[in-house]
Amino acid sequence: MPFCTRQVLQGFHTYKVSIRISNVKYKDERYVFYIKPLPGTDIKLLNRYADEVKRLMEVEFFALDITPGEIKLVVSENPLHENSLIKILESIQFKESEMDIPYAVGYDMMGKMVIADVTEFPHLLIGGGTKSGKSSAIHSLLMSIIYKQSANKVKLLLFDFGASDIKVYDKVPHMLRPTIRSNEIEKGRDSLRWLQAEMEKRLIMKDSLEVRKFTVEMGKWQSIVCVIDEFPAFIRALTAEKHNKKAYTIIEDLLERARKVKIHLVLAAQGSTKDNIEIRTTNLGGRIAFKCNNRYESQAIIESSDAVDLSGKGVMYFKSDQHEGLMRIQGAYMPVEEIADMLDELYPADSYSEKRHDEIEFQISSSQEPDKLETTQNPFSTENGDEELLFEMVMWMQGKENISNNQLKNNFEMGYERANRFLARLEDAGIISKQKKGTKLPRTVDQNKIEEFLENHGYVEDTNKEDWVKCLEQSSMQNDMEPKHEQTIKASNEEMDAETHVECSPHEVPKTKERKLRIDPDKLKSHSTRYRKKGPAH
């Protein structure tokens, strides 16, 4: 054996990392050491000092594969070049794969091909530092789709706001439209809304058909894979204008609901901190992290800081429900020039007419003017009654100096994430202050913005404060078990719309649909006006 177990142990011991080796195997020019940290040893130290130990041992390949079940150290005296994309694409394993959309991810530490199913993610997040391998991962994904699937089965919608050169795929029939570039914000906005409309159409069909009939119908649909390279830059460009402040919620909506109807998002970014990503990543089941500049970037991508210690171009951590834990993988690679040559062979220019893309109308209806887009595109459409609840919330905030996530959770009986969504919308409207980075302090409430918001949405001032207070006091007498600052009064729609005084008798409960309003009595008495929805003329 060219080098022994003692060298590995001594190498880590030099940096005060205490381990023991339970087993050693040799396969395909690799020595595989099965490692167990001794009590008191932090596993993270193994990654931190891996490069230093590699230099001490003077070997060509030295990589740790850490999973929940075991820790393997793979060492080779010879350089390993297992990163060929075409080798995977031409393999029997890939060609005969029964996956819906197989993706040639790369090779594990033992040189075994790693192929994943895009539909099982169902959405993918790719991140890492500059020139770490992110663009290669996108090319591997797109080539996997084009090489394996026909244009009748999978369609592509591509956004290139980075430097991945994905416009090379414009020549293939899989494209719904040519690649959208960084100077084509309007096309990007229209395409994103078209994708959301396509999702809605499919979801309506899903709800209207019996399960078996829907399964048959869904089998006829084309899968749509939408790739957005440098999506934070795209989101910032979308929200640069006032009437597009909530455009990013379309992406969140697609992440939440599109998975049910064969629409899959692939989002890529460098410098992917949580603040930079700007969207909730809950539904991004597939994660790929190349070497990150700091632990915050790594944490945002794979919910672990391990990607900071990655070394070697194209080396990644891959996370998905299809595999256990974090997989350390050498990403598949193919030069862009070779990709262009292969695409020319697969789809010669003279074999297609000038119209290479589907004739799809991406434009939003001309009747939808820009200043109306915020109201017509409801970012909370996935939650029944959220729009109505938002106005109830704003009315409840009258007279308050500040609010917090916990207040919304407790007063409106919702979860943390949903409360954050409402806070984000209130912030966009200017009603509450922005959250200070690194804190969870309550947000300051701007009462002038509340009045402006309600008036702009058809609510009018009701100066009969005494009736509101009287109504509230009667309500509190009925149920003295309720907390003083969270009294609830019930008013029918008819009462809310009436132009006359509000009457709340403890013995006369309206038979019409009731609506709960939570009102702070102390703040109410100090506030000069109330608002109610303007009703029809009588």
Side-chain angles (χ1 to χ4, degrees), residues 462-478:
D462 187 345
T463 56
N464 297 307
K465 178 181 67 174
E466 293 180 0
D467 291 326
W468 284 85
V469 175
K470 180 180 178 182
C471 180
L472 179 65
E473 289 173 344
Q474 289 177 348
S475 176
S476 65
M477 290 173 63
Q478 293 179 53

Side-chain angles (χ1 to χ4, degrees), residues 24 32 52 54 86 106 125 147 157 170 230 244 297 305 331 461 470 479 533 536 538:
V24 182
V32 184
E52 283 75 3
K54 175 185 177 181
I86 191 62
L125 175 64
Y147 195 87
L157 183 58
D170 285 354
E230 284 306 321
N244 290 313
E297 293 179 9
S305 61
E461 290 185 358
K470 180 180 178 182
N479 188 0
K533 187 70 173 177
H538 294 288

Side-chain angles (χ1 to χ4, degrees), residues 208-220:
S208 63
L209 294 178
E210 183 264 339
V211 175
R212 290 189 184 126
K213 289 183 179 179
F214 173 71
T215 302
V216 173
E217 187 63 30
M218 187 171 67
K220 302 174 185 177

